[in-house]
Amino acid sequence: MKICHTHAMKMIKELEEQKRLLIEKEDENCIVSYKEGEERLPAGYDYDKMREEIRSVDGRVRSLRAVLAKANCTVTVEPFGITIGEALVMLAQLQAERGQIESLAGRKQVSRRITSNGVVEYSECVYDVSRAAGDVKALREKIAELQMAIDRANLTNYVEI
């Protein structure tokens, strides 16, 4: 069956939710309490069956992730001309750069303070703060463009599962 990358990612999320629910069910049903003199009621819990169900879900997740990982190494994100995998790394790098430049853009070009002994001290940024603000705007646009290109690639490329 052929599905787009986005569908495969949604299937993985659904499988991970199924696993979470299985583990929650296991935690609720793996212990029974009863009072002395009472008969212990069956819990309906089967350790081996639960392990098998969880391993089955894990196997399907691994399989889907492997198919996606291979696709991420081969599918090109246009107009950037890089693979999805590279684009994801680039996206993280651009977001980190944006954070740093936002910090630089948030400073005053020149500031002053009076020290504890009454001397006026000036601090001046050795870069153009307004240029940093412009660079933040450009980075935000590039990040948005890259995110949309990755989304487009994930929606228009198919994998066999």
Side-chain angles (χ1 to χ4, degrees), residues 57-113:
V57 170
D58 283 345
R60 294 192 328 245
V61 168
R62 271 193 316 276
S63 176
L64 284 168
R65 285 191 183 280
V67 168
L68 281 177
K70 184 177 179 183
N72 284 350
C73 294
T74 57
V75 173
T76 304
V77 174
E78 297 302 337
F80 292 88
I82 58 177
T83 66
I84 293 175
E86 290 172 299
L88 292 170
V89 171
M90 182 180 182
L91 182 61
Q93 291 169 334
L94 290 172
Q95 288 172 332
E97 181 181 4
R98 184 198 68 211
Q100 175 60 22
I101 295 177
E102 281 177 342
S103 172
L104 295 171
R107 298 180 183 177
K108 292 182 179 181
Q109 190 67 49
V110 178
S111 61
R112 73 179 205 142
R113 71 179 188 99

Side-chain angles (χ1 to χ4, degrees), residues 104 107-110 123-129 131:
L104 295 171
R107 298 180 183 177
K108 292 182 179 181
Q109 190 67 49
V110 178
S123 296
E124 183 175 351
C125 292
V126 294
Y127 62 92
D128 184 353
V129 173
R131 177 176 169 210

Side-chain angles (χ1 to χ4, degrees), residues 27-42:
D27 288 342
E28 290 173 5
N29 296 308
C30 68
I31 296 175
V32 294
S33 297
Y34 55 95
K35 295 179 184 172
E36 185 178 344
E38 286 184 348
E39 184 179 330
R40 182 178 72 126
L41 298 174

Side-chain angles (χ1 to χ4, degrees), residues 121-149:
E121 177 183 87
Y122 293 91
S123 296
E124 183 175 351
C125 292
V126 294
Y127 62 92
D128 184 353
V129 173
S130 61
R131 177 176 169 210
D135 289 347
V136 168
K137 183 179 185 290
L139 270 171
R140 283 186 180 145
E141 290 169 0
K142 186 171 186 175
I143 287 169
E145 182 183 352
L146 182 58
Q147 285 172 325
M148 287 186 288

